[in-house]
Amino acid sequence: SDLQKQEERGELLQPLIFVLLVLCSILLYFKVSLMDPGFVKPEEEVKEGEDKGQGAVILQLPGDIKLRRCGYCLVKQPMRAKHCQQCQHCVRRYDHHCPWLENCVGERNHPLFIVYLSVQLVVLLWGGRVAWSGLYFEQSREWLQHNIFLLVSFLLILIFTIVVLLLLVSHLYLISCNTTTWEFMSHHRISYLRHSELENPFDQGIILNLWRFFC
C-alpha cells in the first residue's frame, strides 16, 4: 500500500518527530508553569554566606551588605532573591515573572525554561518551513482566497519565531554572564550590585557560568 511505501522511504518519520516535539513543548510548558520556581519558605532561614552556589562569590561583596527580611512575606531573603508581587512569594535567583506561564522564572525552573524555549524554537522553525513550502505566489484574487489561511499562519509563525529567538538569545547571553534579567534591568537599584567594586561579582567566566547553570 501507499502507507507502507511511505514508511519504507522514511516519509512518516518526519511527521512523527514533529508531533513528538510539539507534545514535548506542551509538557515542558506545563512543567515550567506549574513547578515551584524556587520559593523561599519561612522555615528555610538562610544564614549569611550559606546561599546555595554563591559562597565563593559573596566574599567579593562589601562586608556591610547584609541579608534582609522581605517587607511583604517577612522571610529572610537569600542573596539574589526577590519578592514577586504576582506570586506573593520571594523567589531564589529571581529572573522575571512570565505572563505567558503565569509563574516566576527562578532558580529551580530557569534551566527548564531555556529547554522549553529551545524546543519551541525548533517547532516554530519546522512549522514555518512547512508553511512556506506550501505557498506558491500568484498575483490574483483567487490565489489569495485559496491561500489566505496558509499565508496568515506563516506570518504568525514568523512573528512568534522572532520573539522566541530573541528571548532565547538574550537569556543565553545573561546566563553566560551569570546574571539575571532582574539584575540586568535593575542593576542601579540592587544593593549588593550597586555597592560592589565589580561590575558583576557573580561572573566566573563563560564556561563555568554555563556549567553551574545547566549542570
Side-chain angles (χ1 to χ4, degrees):
S1 64
D2 293 338
L3 191 62
Q4 288 178 331
K5 292 179 180 178
Q6 288 179 338
E7 184 179 1
E8 290 174 358
R9 292 195 299 265
E11 294 178 2
L12 298 181
L13 185 61
Q14 288 189 4
L16 179 62
I17 294 175
F18 180 76
V19 171
L20 290 176
L21 283 173
V22 172
L23 291 176
C24 182
S25 69
I26 294 173
L27 291 175
L28 283 169
Y29 172 84
F30 284 109
K31 176 68 174 176
V32 177
S33 63
L34 296 176
M35 74 181 294
D36 178 355
F39 294 136
V40 181
K41 307 296 192 303
E43 62 272 16
E44 297 175 349
E45 288 292 338
V46 181
K47 297 179 181 179
E48 293 183 42
E50 289 186 358
D51 192 17
K52 179 182 178 183
Q54 301 300 339
V57 291
I58 285 180
L59 297 176
Q60 303 174 25
L61 299 175
D64 58 343
I65 301 298
K66 305 294 183 182
L67 299 182
R68 66 183 184 88
R69 288 197 177 275
C70 174
Y72 297 95
C73 52
L74 302 179
V75 297
K76 199 170 186 180
Q77 286 184 335
M79 188 71 70
R80 313 186 78 178
K82 182 184 181 297
H83 184 86
C84 176
Q85 297 282 7
Q86 287 85 358
C87 294
Q88 294 297 310
H89 282 286
C90 285
V91 180
R92 295 175 179 273
R93 202 180 183 280
Y94 175 87
D95 188 87
H96 71 285
H97 182 89
C98 182
W100 306 108
L101 297 173
E102 279 297 326
N103 194 14
C104 282
V105 175
E107 183 180 79
R108 293 190 62 191
N109 64 350
H110 200 171
L112 272 180
F113 179 70
I114 298 300
V115 175
Y116 164 70
L117 288 179
S118 302
V119 174
Q120 193 66 47
L121 181 61
V122 172
V123 170
L124 287 168
L125 289 172
W126 196 330
R129 185 184 68 84
V130 172
W132 178 261
S133 65
L135 288 172
Y136 60 95
F137 295 96
E138 292 181 6
Q139 294 182 351
S140 65
R141 189 170 182 176
E142 290 184 359
W143 175 90
L144 187 61
Q145 289 177 344
H146 286 90
N147 292 272
I148 184 66
F149 177 76
L150 192 59
L151 186 60
V152 171
S153 299
F154 174 76
L155 292 176
L156 287 175
I157 290 173
L158 181 62
I159 293 171
F160 286 126
T161 300
I162 294 172
V163 172
V164 172
L165 179 61
L166 292 175
L167 193 59
L168 180 61
V169 170
S170 64
H171 272 275
L172 288 175
Y173 169 74
L174 294 176
I175 291 166
S176 68
C177 299
N178 197 359
T179 189
T180 63
T181 302
W182 171 58
E183 290 171 342
F184 180 78
M185 300 295 292
S186 306
H187 188 281
H188 61 287
R189 295 193 290 113
I190 302 173
S191 59
Y192 59 81
L193 295 179
R194 189 174 68 247
H195 297 121
S196 174
E197 296 178 358
L198 302 175
E199 180 70 21
N200 179 11
F202 303 109
D203 188 6
Q204 297 179 293
I206 294 177
I207 296 177
L208 191 56
N209 290 339
L210 293 173
W211 174 263
R212 285 183 177 276
F213 182 85
F214 288 106
C215 305

